[in-house]
Amino acid sequence: MFNYKLNRNMLGDDYVTAVVEGGGIPLIIPSNIRVENIPELISKIDGLLLSGGDDVNPLIYGEEPHPNLGDVDPLRDVLEIHLVKTAIEKKKPILGICRGLQVLNIALGGTVIQDIFSQKEKVIGHRQKGPRYYLSHQVYIEKNTLLADVIGKEELLVNSFHHQCIGVLGDNLLINCKSSDGIIEGIESKCGNILAVQWHPENLWRYTDENIKLFKWLVDKSK
Ligand code: MN
């Protein structure tokens, strides 16, 4: 993300070290590259990781802003939607995390529920209080999905830092896990080239056995 106040392009180091630990060579894409250069950029990388961050501008998926919409980053929205479309065109694998899952869904024609706490009933606490590595709620993984194959379990405790979730599912995507309140916590493509989760595995891989497997999947799929 580009931090206008600090005049810096920034990415949490947990993402970088997770890719390294997964066997990959991380390259950080700045938010302020030119959109016309994206095809050349994508042709030079082997896989794409979409990191967490601000809410996507709802006008992009055809909705007016809800009063509880969080901060938006218009430059990054445009960049990442182009990155997703181009990566799919060029058949590069994609791992989406939190905002990254939402960007993927929107790029494929889906929508996001802008504020689950005011727009959905009986939701559990998806905005955990406490450290990033703390496991706060369960997700239930669908059998015979790519996620089930990668994680190797049907139930997984995860962290949770979101107030939005997937609404209408994008084209050629399927749901691979949900929390107990029915919130979609993971999606994947039918072709097996896209995997995305609503939690933050980059904050968990040092403390759990399962979460590094998501980054290893991206690196292996990129070979
Ligand atoms: Mn959650």
Side-chain angles (χ1 to χ4, degrees):
M1 61 171 271
F2 189 72
N3 185 311
Y4 298 90
K5 285 182 193 152
L6 296 174
N7 194 34
R8 275 169 166 70
N9 264 295
M10 301 166 74
L11 177 71
D13 190 56
D14 281 351
Y15 292 106
V16 177
T17 48
V19 171
V20 172
E21 185 71 15
I25 306 168
L27 289 172
I28 302 172
I29 302 173
S31 291
N32 42 347
I33 62 164
R34 293 209 171 108
V35 163
E36 62 264 32
N37 292 331
I38 286 174
E40 193 185 342
L41 176 95
I42 291 289
S43 67
K44 286 178 175 161
I45 63 171
D46 302 312
L48 181 66
L49 191 157
L50 298 164
S51 61
D54 290 342
D55 293 352
V56 176
N57 181 353
L59 290 174
I60 294 175
Y61 49 89
E63 284 184 19
E64 297 279 2
H66 185 277
N68 294 348
L69 178 71
D71 290 341
V72 294
D73 184 345
L75 204 62
R76 194 175 160 189
D77 291 345
V78 172
L79 168 82
E80 290 182 338
I81 285 170
H82 275 89
L83 284 173
V84 168
K85 288 182 174 169
T86 311
I88 290 170
E89 250 174 52
K90 295 185 182 288
K91 298 189 166 43
K92 308 282 181 171
I94 307 174
L95 175 63
I97 293 175
C98 197
R99 169 194 161 89
L101 162 142
Q102 295 166 6
V103 166
L104 261 167
N105 191 54
I106 293 162
L108 291 170
T111 68
V112 159
I113 294 170
Q114 293 184 46
D115 182 55
I116 55 175
F117 303 114
S118 55
Q119 292 180 285
K120 278 185 97 72
E121 283 178 12
K122 293 179 181 167
V123 289
I124 61 169
H126 288 277
R127 249 185 182 160
Q128 76 182 51
K129 312 274 198 305
R132 303 285 299 183
Y133 59 81
Y134 178 68
L135 299 168
S136 70
H137 74 68
Q138 198 83 246
V139 295
Y140 300 91
I141 301 174
E142 296 283 337
K143 283 179 193 163
N144 304 317
T145 58
L146 173 61
L147 184 68
D149 193 39
V150 170
I151 295 289
K153 283 176 107 174
E154 285 173 33
E155 290 182 20
L156 186 68
L157 277 167
V158 299
N159 56 3
S160 195
F161 300 93
H162 58 111
H163 79 114
Q164 299 193 322
C165 76
I166 289 188
V168 176
L169 198 60
D171 296 334
N172 298 313
L173 294 172
L174 55 90
I175 297 163
N176 57 25
C177 70
K178 286 182 178 176
S179 45
S180 60
D181 52 2
I183 297 289
I184 297 169
E185 287 275 340
I187 55 172
E188 60 193 56
S189 63
K190 290 172 185 167
C191 67
N193 227 20
I194 297 174
L195 188 55
V197 295
Q198 185 61 74
W199 69 91
H200 282 272
E202 80 281 7
N203 302 134
L204 297 177
W205 64 265
R206 289 183 176 88
Y207 309 96
T208 62
D209 294 332
E210 295 85 7
N211 285 281
I212 195 63
K213 294 175 179 175
L214 294 165
F215 299 94
K216 284 186 171 153
W217 169 82
L218 178 64
V219 172
D220 291 345
K221 196 82 184 166
S222 298
K223 282 173 184 163

